[in-house]
Amino acid sequence: MTGQKIDGIAVANSVKDRVRIATSELRKENIEPCLATVLVGDNPASTTYVKNKQKACFEVGIATKDHKLPASFSQQEMNTLIDLLNSDKAVHGILVQLPLPDKLDEFAITSRISPIKDIDGLTPFNIGLLSSGRAILKPCTPSGIIELFDYYKIDLAGKDAVIVNRSNLVGKPLYNLMLERNATVTTCHSKTQNLKEHCKRADIVVTAIGDRSKFVLTEDMVKDGAVVIDVGTARLDGKLVGDVDYENVIKKAAYVTPVPGGVGPMTVAMLLKNTLTAASISKGFVSNR
Ligand code: GUN
């Protein structure tokens, strides 16, 4: 029996529709939701991601302020820019596109963002709230994955979930979000022994490696009826591919996300949702209780 493709574009569109309506409501309160984007250097993938995020903002009525900076931009200059954006009342969300050039201290920069404008949920304050189950601004890719589970009514309670990634943007926050839904979560990484065995026993596998020379999730690594979420993106013969051997895995799994058209659109949709939330926070409209 063939599994079902999880349609990230359709789910993202439903999120965007809700954000568009809520944005127009906020505008009636004289709040114009606005996202400041910060891109340092000319990494082609990051350039495309930021363009896509700005375009999506435009589509739902969120304003953007574009900060495109040379790779030579210093730590001190970044600090000054973040401080300026933190104090700018017209800016509700700040997106510093990652990765940053090596000479910049990524942790110091993301930590400097005001927690109420931290639409990536990467400040220590928001990470703390996330691990306490109280976060309002949650990292976009993990919260987009939870949105996919909800849309497809995939219950996580009691399920064995394996995450193949331990990054601050994906693996660690997703661990917390899936734990909150009562899954039994295992985080796998480059030093994990018997990775295949971990994947094979999982009811839900989330993979985010993005390098097919290091990891491909094949049919023999998933159990019948598993849910497979592919966050990886890489280029193979000029085509965008994920970590999962989609054509074969879907013959065995219950649900699989494609690449493209799976998790990627959800990351963008959740950024819009977080920007709207940040704009609402600025007027005291949101509570985490
Ligand atoms: N680079 C890859 N994904 C992301 C993301 O979700 N946010 C930021 N800021 N940078 C990224």
Side-chain angles (χ1 to χ4, degrees):
M1 205 183 75
T2 297
Q4 190 177 346
K5 175 174 93 172
I6 291 184
D7 186 348
I9 297 173
V11 185
N13 282 337
S14 79
V15 173
K16 281 171 154 179
D17 287 344
R18 278 181 272 147
V19 171
R20 193 179 293 109
I21 292 164
T23 299
S24 67
E25 291 300 314
L26 269 186
R27 281 177 181 273
K28 287 179 197 157
E29 307 279 338
N30 288 323
I31 305 168
E32 185 187 21
C34 175
L35 175 71
T37 59
V38 179
L39 174 65
V40 187
D42 52 8
N43 177 316
S46 293
T47 305
T48 304
Y49 289 141
V50 171
K51 263 193 204 143
N52 289 344
K53 289 170 181 179
Q54 290 170 338
K55 181 168 167 272
C57 283
F58 176 76
E59 285 166 4
V60 298
I62 293 175
T64 56
K65 281 194 178 176
D66 188 20
H67 298 269
K68 211 170 173 309
L69 309 160
S72 60
F73 212 60
S74 70
Q75 187 79 22
Q76 184 53 49
E77 287 172 307
M78 274 302 267
N79 289 347
T80 307
L81 174 62
I82 300 293
D83 291 350
L84 255 169
L85 295 174
N86 280 342
S87 56
D88 185 342
K89 287 200 166 30
V91 169
H92 302 104
I94 302 170
L95 170 92
V96 177
Q97 185 65 26
L98 304 177
L100 289 167
D102 284 346
K103 71 173 173 88
L104 293 176
D105 181 342
E106 207 162 273
F107 179 73
I109 290 166
T110 51
S111 300
R112 202 174 180 98
I113 295 172
S114 164
I116 59 168
K117 298 191 178 187
D118 172 26
I119 44 66
D120 269 315
L122 288 175
T123 56
F125 183 83
N126 285 326
I127 293 168
L129 286 180
L130 184 73
S131 66
S132 308
R134 290 285 178 89
I136 296 175
L137 295 172
K138 302 168 195 175
C140 302
T141 299
S143 53
I145 292 170
I146 298 294
E147 196 80 24
L148 289 175
F149 291 142
D150 287 347
Y151 189 93
Y152 283 88
K153 303 197 176 359
I154 296 166
D155 184 16
L156 304 192
K159 300 279 168 60
D160 270 320
V162 164
I163 303 170
V164 190
N165 180 283
R166 59 168 153 180
S167 68
N168 293 332
L169 268 172
V170 180
K172 288 178 198 165
L174 184 61
Y175 179 94
N176 282 303
L177 292 176
M178 292 181 84
L179 189 61
E180 232 173 77
R181 298 296 181 97
N182 299 312
T184 303
V185 192
T186 305
T187 301
C188 296
H189 49 76
S190 53
K191 300 286 186 290
T192 296
Q193 309 263 315
N194 305 322
L195 179 57
K196 181 174 175 176
E197 297 310 312
H198 281 289
C199 294
K200 240 177 135 163
R201 67 164 174 73
D203 302 304
I204 301 168
V205 183
V206 182
T207 167
I209 299 300
D211 182 345
R212 282 193 162 222
S213 68
K214 293 196 175 110
F215 181 73
V216 181
L217 189 81
T218 49
E219 179 194 3
D220 56 320
M221 295 166 78
V222 295
K223 79 172 180 189
D224 286 327
V227 176
V228 177
I229 306 292
D230 191 352
V231 190
T233 49
R235 290 264 158 206
L236 186 68
D237 303 327
K239 263 178 54 184
L240 192 66
V241 293
D243 294 343
V244 176
D245 176 9
Y246 181 88
E247 300 304 331
N248 290 310
V249 167
I250 200 156
K251 290 178 192 156
K252 206 169 171 190
Y255 294 94
V256 187
T257 60
V259 174
V263 175
M266 291 309 296
T267 298
V268 178
M270 300 317 280
L271 168 71
L272 305 176
K273 191 175 174 203
N274 280 352
T275 304
L276 177 80
T277 301
S280 307
I281 292 172
S282 75
K283 281 284 169 185
F285 289 164
V286 181
S287 159
N288 63 346
R289 299 300 303 260

